[in-house]
Amino acid sequence: MDPASIDETLVALSGQQYFASRELATGLFLALKMERPLFLEGEPGVGKTELAKAAAGVLGTQMLRLQCYEGLDTASALYEWDYPRQIMALRLAEAAGEQPSNDSLYKSEFLLKRPLLQALMPDPLNPTARRVLLIDEIDRADEPFEAFLLELLSDFQVSIPEYGTVCAERPPLVVMTSNRTREVHDALKRRCLYQWIGYPARDVELQIVAARAPEASVELQARAVAFVHRLRTLDLFKAPGVAETIDWCRALAALSVSELDPQSVQDTLGVLLKYQDDLTRVDAAEIAQCLAAPA
Ligand SMILES: Nc1ncnc2c1ncn2[C@@H]1O[C@H](COP(=O)(O)OP(=O)(O)O)[C@@H](O)[C@H]1O
Ligand SMILES: [Mg+2]
């Protein structure tokens, strides 16, 4: 069931181990209420993809995911006919001396339903639930694909020449994400509600780490989060995301580090920073400074 308020949205998301800011919960609440797609931008690893998963959990359905890439076409995104099986059916009919009809060749069984088409049909496991469609990293797809999406998102129906029109009884919740490798077209953005996801506030990131890396002690979690927040103020090529903070806490716990000291930070810095320039930038002096940040 859809949450009835912003507060309920926040609580429902935290039930899925997802800790959102109030702005983001408002965005999701409105997307559900107004039946509009939610467009999320932000640095990698701040929880864009995860929000769609959590929303699906809240609505009691399986998330459908369309991962975008250059050259993505409608056969992979929408539907495709299962030619080998159609030919088999044709042969069988011929062998039995029957004349195969169009209806027997173009039936649902032979329709390979890709995420966009599935999103217009009820969830077989929970037919009353609203579908959740994640269109991930739209900035990686080509512009013609964007135009096609825009059309689909405006009427939530698709006509398949040999089969008929498929129309969603209720628009699915669509979450679209971009890592901003290029600007997404204005028209597409205008269809959507927009949310920028920044790095979480310290108390929120602590909640996330407590839920996702419980093997680290509370003290270690607090120190690690404080350290990462200091790191993010430096001029790095790629600041650590939430995913990195979680990984780092897990790594430290795996190494049985109970207190954050310069040596264990140095040894595990590769979990937080993934670029050589950043690793050189954060030298012993910088580590000492970041460690001095109050927990
Ligand atoms: N707000 C959050 N609450 C809980 N976990 C989060 C949150 N944000 C990020 N994470 C964690 O970080 C990981 C990476 O997030 P992800 O959604 O893949 O990032 P993005 O899609 O923005 O690159 C997730 O698997 C999840 O464990
Ligand atoms: Mg992602």
Side-chain angles (χ1 to χ4, degrees), residues 77 96-97 134 174 189 202 219 236 289:
L134 168 67
V174 179
K189 275 192 169 176
R202 232 160 87 168
E219 164 73 13
L236 296 172
Q289 280 225 335

Side-chain angles (χ1 to χ4, degrees), residues 28 33 77 79 101 122 130 138 155 164 177 193 205 208 271 287 295:
L28 177 61
K33 187 121 185 145
Y79 74 91
S101 68
R130 189 139 158 208
I138 178 77
D155 44 13
T177 81
L193 303 175
E205 194 155 2
I208 299 173
V271 180
I287 290 177

Side-chain angles (χ1 to χ4, degrees), residues 199-210:
Y199 296 116
R202 232 160 87 168
D203 56 333
V204 176
E205 194 155 2
L206 254 179
Q207 279 184 301
I208 299 173
V209 166

Side-chain angles (χ1 to χ4, degrees), residues 64 77-78 112-123 131:
L64 298 163
L78 192 59
L112 298 172
K113 303 167 190 84
R114 308 298 188 205
L116 293 183
L117 184 61
Q118 284 177 40
L120 305 180
M121 299 172 157
D123 180 349
R131 297 235 87 169

Side-chain angles (χ1 to χ4, degrees), residues 142-269:
D142 318 297
E143 290 189 21
F145 187 77
E146 254 181 54
F148 158 76
L149 260 186
L150 186 63
E151 207 181 296
L152 182 85
L153 294 181
S154 55
D155 44 13
F156 291 105
Q157 70 170 33
V158 160
S159 99
I160 303 175
E162 310 86 349
Y163 183 80
T165 299
V166 179
C167 180
E169 251 175 55
R170 195 172 172 205
L173 168 68
V174 179
V175 177
M176 222 183 295
T177 81
S178 164
N179 284 329
R180 288 183 92 199
T181 56
R182 70 171 173 84
E183 277 303 318
V184 169
H185 212 276
D186 243 17
L188 187 59
K189 275 192 169 176
R190 254 184 284 128
R191 271 294 308 141
C192 305
L193 303 175
Y194 179 84
Q195 280 285 318
W196 170 264
I197 307 190
Y199 296 116
R202 232 160 87 168
D203 56 333
V204 176
E205 194 155 2
L206 254 179
Q207 279 184 301
I208 299 173
V209 166
R212 307 250 169 174
E215 60 269 54
S217 71
V218 174
E219 164 73 13
L220 185 63
Q221 289 168 358
R223 301 281 303 170
V225 168
F227 186 92
V228 169
H229 276 244
R230 274 298 286 263
L231 264 192
R232 287 188 190 135
T233 65
L234 305 180
D235 183 25
L236 296 172
F237 178 66
K238 170 68 187 82
V242 180
E244 280 75 24
T245 315
I246 297 170
D247 280 348
W248 195 40
C249 287
R250 287 195 182 139
L252 292 167
L255 295 169
S256 311
V257 172
S258 53
E259 209 158 304
L260 214 49
D261 58 88
Q263 190 60 53
S264 48
V265 173
Q266 187 75 62
D267 292 347
T268 54
L269 211 51

Side-chain angles (χ1 to χ4, degrees), residues 17-20 42-51 136-137 179 204 208 212 242-243 246:
Q17 311 267 60
Y18 189 93
F19 302 92
E43 301 294 329
V46 290
K48 301 184 293 299
T49 303
E50 196 72 14
L51 175 76
D136 218 4
E137 305 182 349
N179 284 329
V204 176
I208 299 173
R212 307 250 169 174
V242 180
I246 297 170

